[in-house]
């Protein structure tokens, strides 16, 4: 249930509203935008409140939830959300490119990629420390040691760090080292985990499940926001279809669809979508042309020896070449690439 | 990596083998069957052990893992696994039918269903206490109170209890009340949760993800078994396709496919597959005819008022009628329905 | 548009109605059933007729078409349609099993299968003479010679013949030799071909497209019926999904869905669905248990040497064994297998 | 089977080769490119020829077919194919945009769109005269009258004409009026129709089936080329998935995949992929950025009143605006939009 507040609703009136909601054991989620304020009521006692809330000062209207993701919907929040980090803003005019290896494997590997990424214009370093692997016998990531290496790479390069968190019990640890917490495709409907990352202050990169509709992705985002964290970045990474020429099928239309329905920024992962590095540049350019706010790309100094996903990783050289092309398309659609954080040595 | 032991490998030789594996930080998972013994080596140091293991007394062969689910594969374990509970055996000649409401809503609701289920021939009571819901605003289940009601229903009816567990932190609580822990479709690749239910003694009902191949289901089962719990029941519950006449598409062929590849029992959930109660009997009969070891069916005393999934729930009367037909098909394929635990009053 | 006639509508009134419809260039399709008569109005002038038709004697009601397949819908035709051939009736209490090779390859091959099929209880011989092949370089069938061999096999065994027709120009030729014309999955939306088989008197076996919804299958059937041929058999043969363990995914729920929505008989092709012979028996039993009116099964005397689809063909011996099991499940669901047309020599 | 000819193979040697192939009832398909000549041998006697062909003068090598589409594969034909029409070249540096209504409805409608398309930079006019409709009761197109209107629009605007052909018997008629013959998605595996358009000289626009893999699309193209027509344009138009926010899912990766595997030009239909006009510009820009050689877009002067597909048609004004953006992205990826054929009046 959501309560739409009157334009001039006083702070005092708001406080009364919140008090009432909390008095029945529900939780409050306030969403303020230029076009008005909205109070989401979360919890099982919500239904009983409808009439009382509607009668309170400052409340313009009480509605059952429709669309089912009121807090992330554009309906009541027409302006795009931007998410500010130290050296980049996700969702603004400048694109945000995240790059790095699938898994953090060693200091040498990570530093090589981080430097190359910073030189090529990326602003965020990606790298898995806790890896969800479909086999119990596969490499599961370096764990905390991987997080420390990521933090060290940030120190040296100025790149922000995004890395996956697999379970509620790891959220605090990962949030201590990372700037953005990634929820992987396989965890998109791990509702406890969504609640846990909603209950801490780091921005969240939420990847679409392999067989999730765009509406389900928005409802997963709603979980995070309803638990208190409005800083969510949506990520399209390919869905599962019958086509076998690529690992997944990039749903390029999800970009305009998500942007039409939600105010949250949208980025694209061309690496997992394609599964083969030769198709990554075409998908990256397409994503930017279609309106994406950025990319998350796998880069590895020696893809043939990567412990995971080598077939879809770009070399630093190929990544750098691609970034030049991305900049051209970005300019053509009114966006821009930020200046590189580091100067290349060549 | 797996080590295949020689037929007459002594206990002493086995102990040496285990000691070596554990000395490098790996974990051991032993699988004994009439056709031989197998030791799964789980952990990242495994690769380095290959040569040393191969040279030890009692080891016939060391293989990299192929198929990628050696412990659940039929290849080294040709006999079907049966899982014994107090009053039923899953995977034997007698079918196991699990029935109950989607969510535990109240004592009255649950008891009404439990009695009807017991009278109709079910041996397990299903019911959700912790519910994974795609919206944060939907009913999330009664939690611990729901578990207590389930346990009370077991006391009265003799039915075993299966209920879903959503997060590692709840495993101990749920295992205290339930006889079988269910991993839901959305959690099939929640690898931490798989590890957690692998590390406790209750049997696990593992539902196939909406987007998971049958191989991925087997690899999820491998996680549970590799963490120490060999008692896993596989559950086909429909996959996501383009067809909209049903909620999901029941992959009926998964039954012979899974039985050919694995020794674990396979049951079918016709309710989530169909999404509409009128199709549940046809799917149930088809499942038994195709070789399933049982069913898990949603039954509600008043489906129109169910808090979740009412459209796909059978009334107790319809369930009872269906069970008669199921018994007929079971007999035609060499299986049987167990006698009801309770006698009906009519 | 459809006109629903009054119960006692006279022949004379019907004739007036038909005359009006034809006077504006539309075509008439009459559907008579015990529960009433229906006139489908096909053609582009239909919209203009609505008011005039509604005012005519004998017309109870004029409706825009809803569901979009009024002639095949159960709504106005609750009794199941049965299709009588010389020695079998499709859609009655007795099941109809069609069996034979994917392609007619030679007289020896075909006769061997035909005899075995007749001995095992099949009543229809299948075999492709015109083959739709995805490569121009693959075997395309024996053409007219294949049709002649099929007709000869009918002479000897008494089996009816079903074979595929690929193009409108072949309809007359194929109908001269075959008892049932098959529209293959790839032709399900070849609307000219649907019109052509609708415009001749042989029954039509209409296979569902690999990615067609059940509603689209019913609309394809509506084309055939609207062009004048009410004798259509629907065939579920598997849809395309992400699962790779089988060639296609048999949509077992399509059986109750199609039977609920349409009065036409429904049969199942387990061979193309499975793609592997070892899964064909389980799918066949499941189909009968779910309410199918019959099966169409690939049988080859030497599957390893088949020119097409050998991997999914049963040997005559395996087919015969399966037919015994099918009979058992049929009895359990109130159906029966007909007596074999031939006695086996063993 | 294909015979790869020696670089200096004489005309006389070629003639001998062709004679041998035809003497056993096979057909010959020659593919000449800068990197060499290739002779495809089509027909069932091919296998027997292998050894004899290999021994002939001028033959470098004889290979069984691999990939299964030798004539359209890039393997033996690395240069991109370009298809020249009067005023445009498909597959060159300049993009080819095809625009027009789903169905030709009237002279006024068609002329309005044709003029607007020509002014905005399109070089080809699309419009359906024969429509494949899933219901027999839907508008089926104006037929020959529609073709005449298209030809008249060409006269006035200079646009080439592309329109769909549904059946072999219509090929001659459609080819008389149109410059490019379209094979619709539902006909992609209508092999008789593929053969028929392969046997006439107009270029063919081949749309990918809703359920077809990219390999199957290439094999359908192989049919056309093997029957004698090398001028085929591939068209990605969206595949069927579980996502419902769009009508189909545009497989954007098919562009680089098809370009890597084949030398044929690739265009994209964003209208049928999206199903909603608001997403058409984003998909169009994405397609060009990903390397497509052009677009085919639905434009209607009054989409709300279109007889078919109105929801996905752009107004002329929206189309013109989009073309400006397309030109920008084209320039960014090294392509260009041709100058408009007509000057706008504004």
């Amino acid at each position: 249930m959501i309560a739409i507040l009157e334009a001039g609703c006083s702070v005092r009136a708001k406080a009364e509203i919140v008090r009432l909601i909390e008095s029945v054991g529900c939780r409050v989620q306030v969403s303020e935008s230029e076009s008005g304020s909205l109070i989401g009521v979360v919890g099982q006692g919500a239904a009983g409140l409808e009439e009382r809330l509607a009668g309170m000062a400052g409340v313009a209207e009480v509605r059952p939830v429709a669309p089912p993701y009121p807090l992330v919907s554009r309906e009541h929040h027409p302006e795009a959300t931007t998410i500010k980090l130290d050296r980049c803003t996700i969702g603004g005019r400048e694109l945000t490119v995240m790059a790095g290896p699938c898994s953090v494997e060693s200091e040498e590997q990570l530093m090589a990629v981080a430097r190359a990424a910073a030189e090529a214009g990326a602003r965020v370093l990606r790298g898995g420390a806790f890896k969800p692997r479909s086999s119990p016998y596969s490499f599961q990531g370096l764990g905390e040691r991987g997080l420390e290496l990521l933090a060290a790479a940030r120190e040296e390069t100025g790149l922000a760090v995004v890395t996956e968190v697999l379970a509620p019990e790891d959220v605090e640890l990962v949030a201590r080292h990372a700037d953005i917490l990634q929820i992987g495709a396989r965890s998109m409907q791990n509702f406890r985990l969504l609640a846990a990352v909603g209950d801490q202050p780091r921005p969240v990169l939420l990847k679409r499940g392999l067989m999730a509709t765009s509406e389900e992705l928005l409802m997963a985002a709603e979980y995070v926001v309803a638990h208190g964290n409005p800083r969510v970045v949506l990520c399209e990474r390919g869905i599962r279809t019958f086509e076998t020429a690529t690992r997944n099928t990039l749903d390029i239309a999800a970009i305009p669809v998500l942007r039409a329905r939600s105010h949250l920024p949208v980025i694209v992962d061309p690496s997992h979508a394609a599964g083969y590095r030769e198709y990554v540049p075409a998908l990256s350019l397409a994503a930017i042309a279609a309106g994406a706010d950025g990319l998350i790309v796998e880069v590895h100094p020696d893809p043939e020896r990567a412990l995971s996903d080598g077939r879809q990783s770009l070399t630093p050289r190929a990544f750098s070449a691609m970034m030049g092309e991305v900049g051209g398309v970005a300019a053509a659609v009114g966006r821009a690439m930020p200046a590189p954080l580091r100067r290349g040595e060549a």
Side-chain angles (χ1 to χ4, degrees), chain A residues 98-101 110 113-114 117 123-127 150 153-154 159-162:
Chain A
M98 311 183 181
L110 188 65
V113 174
R123 289 288 169 119
V124 181
L125 176 66
R126 64 150 287 154
L150 286 164
R154 173 179 48 213
L159 294 167
V161 163
V162 60

Side-chain angles (χ1 to χ4, degrees), chain A residues 262-276:
Chain A
S262 172
H263 52 83
L264 297 175
V266 178
I267 73 166
V268 165
D269 176 345
S271 306
H272 283 86
Y276 299 94

Side-chain angles (χ1 to χ4, degrees), chain A residues 65 103 134 233:
Chain A
V65 170
S103 302
S134 48
V233 181

Side-chain angles (χ1 to χ4, degrees), chain A residues 160-186:
Chain A
V161 163
V162 60
T163 196
E164 180 161 357
V165 58
L166 285 177
E169 73 232 40
D170 296 344
V171 167
E172 195 273 328
L173 171 68
V174 177
R176 211 182 315 138
H177 292 91
D179 302 284
I180 306 174
L181 303 189
Q182 178 179 313
I183 301 296
R186 285 170 182 75

